[in-house]
Amino acid sequence: MAITPIDLYASFLHLRQDGQVHAERPVFDPERDGWQVMTFHVENDADVHGDHWEVHTAADEVVACLTGGIRLYLRPQQPGDEEEQIKLAAGTAAVVPRGRWHRIALDAPSDIMSVTVPSGSRLEKRIET
């Protein structure tokens, strides 16, 4: 079998339960099992659906800033609490615990990589208070 380069910005990597890895069309499918590695170049908050909260119920998520700078926000777990903010500079990452609502905002155009199990993931429109 020939090994060929994979364009991470044009493909998602699906790490299957059986140990195989497949490069696939970059589609986030909340019905898919196995881990998924996703790499994006983003220019603005709309590119990261910054007006929505996101949650992954099947696994933790690694969010890595490869270039640029981003802010990762965690939704308050109790009414009246503040959002938690984690600044990620190029070359840093954070682990969002399974079941924790979060969102991303950009400090600059950035390259982001995330790794999670998409099964059961959801988005919810952010309502500003």
Side-chain angles (χ1 to χ4, degrees):
M1 176 171 94
I3 298 175
T4 59
I6 298 167
D7 180 347
L8 293 176
Y9 296 97
S11 301
F12 286 173
L13 298 179
H14 182 204
L15 288 64
R16 294 180 15 175
Q17 301 273 352
D18 64 7
Q20 293 186 26
V21 177
H22 292 271
E24 300 180 347
R25 282 186 350 200
V27 175
F28 188 85
D29 180 0
E31 301 299 318
R32 174 168 282 155
D33 65 346
W35 289 86
Q36 192 162 288
V37 178
M38 301 156 282
T39 307
F40 309 94
H41 176 75
V42 291
E43 293 284 331
N44 56 56
D45 289 345
D47 291 340
V48 292
H49 53 266
D51 60 342
H52 283 75
W53 291 106
E54 175 179 279
V55 68
H56 307 289
T57 58
D60 295 346
E61 179 181 26
V62 175
V63 177
C65 179
L66 304 176
T67 66
I70 66 174
R71 285 166 280 128
L72 179 65
Y73 290 94
L74 302 176
R75 184 156 94 179
Q77 293 184 311
Q78 301 295 322
D81 287 352
E82 296 288 321
E83 293 179 355
E84 195 176 329
Q85 176 184 277
I86 300 103
K87 289 184 75 75
L88 296 177
T92 64
V95 177
V96 178
R98 172 192 323 217
R100 188 71 193 266
W101 288 92
H102 59 284
R103 66 184 179 88
I104 294 173
L106 302 184
D107 289 330
S110 301
D111 292 315
I112 300 171
M113 178 181 284
S114 68
V115 182
T116 194
V117 174
S119 178
S121 296
R122 299 190 318 270
L123 289 176
E124 183 178 285
K125 183 78 172 160
R126 181 171 172 253
I127 300 169
E128 301 215 27
T129 57

